[in-house]
Amino acid sequence: MARLNVQASTATTIRIDGREVLAFGGCNYLGLAHHPAVTGAMADAAGVLGLSTTASRETTGNTVVHDALEEELAGFIGEEGAILLADGYTANIAVCQALARDHGVALIDARAHKSLRSAASAAGIQVFEYEHLNAESAAWLAGQFADQGVLMLTDGVFAADGALAPVPELLSVLPQRRATLVVDDCHGVCVLGDRGQGTVGHFGVRDARVVVTTTLAKGVGCYGGAVLGVRSLVQRVRDTADVYRRSTPIPTPIAAAARAAVRTVQGDAGLLASLRRNIVLMREGLARLGIATHEEPIPIFTFTFETHQRMEEVHRRLLAEGLYAPYIEYPGGPTPRFFRVTVTAAHTREEIERLLSGFARHMAAVAAST
Ligand SMILES: Cc1ncc(COP(=O)(O)O)c(C=O)c1O
């Protein structure tokens, strides 16, 4: 699959080969990667603190900006504490490094993000899969391994099929002692919950056995990662996760930008409202085309129709008329290649209708010609 060569972008467009294209891809769900408050905060901080701290935080590389971001992220997501990591992938490594001592077995959703599996294996934890979204399957395994310490690992929102993890059900089958549920919420933060606080907030779950990991590169629109949970867990990551202790933190201007992004989500309820309106518009429009998706307030729509050749041709024709609907190859989707269309808060009703009408015309034309 060829990579895109993006020359410029806004929250809803990309320029490729010198041409502006209306885009429905990526994970910039609230448009924060291009928000002036966010990009402005980044530029201001670069002037005050430079780009890199040039050292790990526990030696000479800590700033008030990193400290403040952790406190504000924890408040936003609704956890006691947070610790920053280089990115979302590394956040999963950090939590597994910190918990490997007393969690001998990892139970992982069969379609979880690869980073969770790699993180658990690399930390020396034995990994077993449970059926995708199936808490009963997880319960059976949890029963087998309860005495070894159980680490349950799931995405909150699954990037490749738009599904929502059954977090309350998973928690109800998690052993009470020496057990932790890690919710990788890279696609739930800034999407779910009444304030955008993510999957755990969406379900209203509060439990000391829950740990949230997230990226700051998708909904938050910046870069970096974080582990969030009770204070003792955060302290444990800080004390024992090598990937935190022996690594330089995210660039200070990026941390400042992430603070601005979190403030923007919290201060502008209109962003989440627009995202939710657009999710409904896209879901209903796809349903009119005979494409059933999901019922959740999730902006990811993955689907397939008929043959690979037809989907490829529809994708090509849409692009030719200035509409980018990603047709991707990625693990965890409904088939090896599939459409993964996302809406953002920044799309207008007219733009969504333009995409849907493009799909309707080209699907019919391609079906008639093959
Ligand atoms: C579910 C999930 N977890 C982890 C990651 C890794 O996050 P990052 O890109 O910040 O390393 C991603 C992103 O690709 C993801 O989708």
Side-chain angles (χ1 to χ4, degrees):
M1 208 173 70
R3 285 199 306 206
L4 279 180
N5 291 312
V6 177
Q7 297 157 327
S9 64
T10 69
T12 54
T13 62
I14 51 177
R15 188 187 307 149
I16 37 178
D17 299 328
R19 206 163 60 100
E20 296 301 322
V21 172
L22 181 59
F24 292 86
C27 311
N28 188 13
Y29 303 121
L30 296 179
L32 290 170
H34 297 82
H35 195 290
V38 178
T39 54
M42 187 186 82
D44 292 347
V48 179
L49 280 153
L51 291 180
S52 172
T53 70
T54 74
S56 68
R57 290 178 71 195
E58 301 297 325
T59 55
T60 55
N62 193 41
T63 74
V64 290
V65 179
H66 293 84
D67 284 344
L69 174 57
E70 286 175 341
E71 201 174 315
E72 289 158 10
L73 259 184
F76 171 48
I77 292 179
E79 296 291 339
E80 271 181 28
I83 184 160
L84 292 174
L85 280 307
D87 52 33
Y89 201 119
T90 313
N92 288 335
I93 295 176
V95 81
C96 289
Q97 285 185 345
L99 295 179
R101 195 180 65 211
D102 49 11
H103 292 69
V105 167
L107 309 182
I108 185 165
D109 184 289
R111 290 204 196 167
H113 192 263
K114 290 274 188 216
S115 58
L116 287 168
R117 186 185 307 266
S118 307
S121 302
I125 306 173
Q126 217 186 345
V127 179
F128 295 90
E129 271 184 7
Y130 62 86
E131 259 178 59
H132 185 41
L133 306 174
N134 188 334
E136 275 179 33
S137 161
W140 187 82
L141 287 167
Q144 304 294 304
F145 297 112
D147 58 338
Q148 296 186 37
V150 170
L151 187 61
M152 219 176 254
L153 302 165
T154 182
D155 297 23
V157 171
F158 289 79
D161 67 5
L164 180 60
V167 171
E169 289 81 0
L170 290 174
L171 254 185
S172 73
V173 302
L174 187 73
Q176 287 298 329
R177 292 192 53 257
R178 262 181 80 194
T180 303
L181 172 64
V182 175
V183 179
D184 172 334
D185 217 15
C186 285
H187 298 272
V189 169
C190 288
V191 168
L192 291 177
D194 54 349
R195 299 177 292 107
Q197 70 273 45
T199 303
V200 173
H202 167 84
F203 285 115
V205 164
R206 277 203 93 81
D207 191 309
R209 296 172 298 162
V210 174
V211 175
V212 175
T213 60
T214 189
T215 182
L216 303 179
K218 299 184 189 297
V220 179
C222 297
Y223 197 78
V227 174
L228 302 105
V230 292
R231 270 187 230 293
S232 56
L233 176 276
V234 169
Q235 190 61 43
R236 193 160 162 183
V237 173
R238 184 170 170 183
D239 291 342
T240 63
D242 237 36
V243 78
Y244 162 77
R245 295 189 74 78
R246 311 285 169 233
S247 184
T248 313
I250 56 172
T252 315
I254 293 291
R259 288 185 70 194
V262 168
R263 268 198 306 273
T264 303
V265 186
Q266 292 178 306
D268 181 359
L271 283 176
L272 270 173
S274 300
L275 179 65
R276 288 184 180 154
R277 178 203 65 184
N278 288 345
I279 291 168
V280 173
L281 286 175
M282 185 63 85
R283 176 192 302 130
E284 291 179 352
L286 289 172
R288 282 197 297 279
L289 301 180
I291 297 171
T293 54
H294 56 69
E295 293 298 319
E296 309 292 352
I298 291 174
I300 303 166
F301 298 93
T302 59
F303 54 88
T304 58
F305 48 81
E306 297 142 353
T307 61
H308 164 64
Q309 282 77 7
R310 283 188 184 181
M311 289 191 279
E312 184 132 56
E313 181 57 15
V314 168
H315 168 75
R316 196 192 62 73
R317 290 183 186 211
L318 286 169
L319 196 54
E321 72 171 63
L323 293 164
Y324 180 60
Y327 180 54
I328 61 167
E329 193 173 333
Y330 198 81
T335 51
R337 290 197 72 174
F338 54 94
F339 277 101
R340 181 184 187 275
V341 167
T342 51
V343 283
T344 72
H347 285 109
T348 63
R349 176 186 291 269
E350 293 67 35
E351 287 170 340
I352 292 170
E353 278 165 7
R354 222 182 111 198
L355 179 74
L356 290 165
S357 123
F359 262 111
R361 274 181 291 107
H362 295 306
M363 282 168 71
V366 168
S369 68
T370 52

